[in-house]
Amino acid sequence: MTFVCRVYAWDLSVRAAHLDATHGFFNGTSVFLRVIGQEDRPCEVLIEPPAGDEYAGWRVATTLPEAGARRHGFGRYRAADYDELVDHPVEMGRFTLAGFEAGGARHEVAITGRHDADTARLCRDLARICTQQARLFEPRTRRAPVERYLFLVMAVGDGYGGLEHRSSTALICSRNDLPWRGQHETSEGYRSFLGLASHEYFHTGTSSASSLPRSRATTCSRRTTRGCCGSSRASPRTTTT
């Protein structure tokens, strides 16, 4: 059976979905329908690239397990059940990608939006946070609770918020909160961003240490998200199945 539906994708936040000619982002709960009585069945999703040479440089950032797709590439992904399917947000576009190791796990940072962030410094500081949390929750092994973790960061004019997932988090922040190249001090904005990232990452440890469902996400907010830069151009056609 093939079921076709139209979804709303004009919410530039960490909560739902946003798709335009510059990027695409979605939480599974805003895109994938739930089949009553079959939530425990394995799922596959095919993420197809938009047509056109202007989208040739687009990549995919998600921790959904690949089922034929290459890492950071379009293609087929899988999930053990519906809960896992909707607990891995997806970013598509020309994002900045950086990574580091902490607690024996690969961590990545994908930054979407206009920015001049010092990704080397950002990774060093996030690595210290993740390492300390691994020691807190696993004092014997000092290992992270996941094998791979992804920080999805949307840099906007003015915004602040986060939503945690089982092996990733979606963050939105002011681009001025990120450390820029040549900056030596720790600004208040950057300190707040690190606190946000630490807060969302902390849930990964608490979820693995308890029986609470990992999909029980929370949103924290310092100020109302506003002034977000979106595009009014026509959206490229991106198909998921």
Side-chain angles (χ1 to χ4, degrees), residues 58-180:
W58 278 34
R59 295 183 291 176
V60 176
T62 182
T63 50
L64 265 174
E66 297 91 351
R70 294 184 177 181
R71 181 63 52 87
H72 306 130
F74 289 91
R76 195 172 298 276
Y77 291 81
R78 61 179 172 82
D81 51 33
Y82 181 79
D83 281 349
E84 182 180 7
L85 178 66
V86 299
D87 212 5
H88 294 275
V90 175
E91 172 69 27
M92 302 169 286
R94 293 185 182 89
F95 47 80
T96 300
L97 187 66
F100 59 91
E101 301 291 327
R106 179 65 177 173
H107 293 67
E108 292 180 329
V109 184
I111 308 176
T112 298
R114 181 167 52 87
H115 70 90
D116 187 28
D118 184 345
T119 55
R121 179 184 178 184
L122 180 60
C123 285
R124 287 195 303 269
D125 292 339
L126 287 176
R128 294 173 59 190
I129 291 172
C130 297
T131 297
Q132 289 300 320
Q133 293 201 24
R135 292 175 177 175
L136 173 65
F137 289 106
E138 294 291 343
R140 185 177 62 84
T141 65
R142 297 188 175 186
R143 296 191 63 85
V146 293
E147 295 182 359
R148 179 180 173 226
Y149 194 86
L150 174 63
F151 293 92
L152 291 173
V153 181
M154 170 61 70
V156 297
D158 186 19
Y160 184 87
L163 198 65
E164 87 274 3
H165 297 270
R166 65 179 63 195
S167 59
S168 61
T169 182
L171 308 173
I172 189 168
C173 70
S174 166
R175 60 180 57 92
N176 293 327
D177 288 347
L178 299 174
W180 61 84

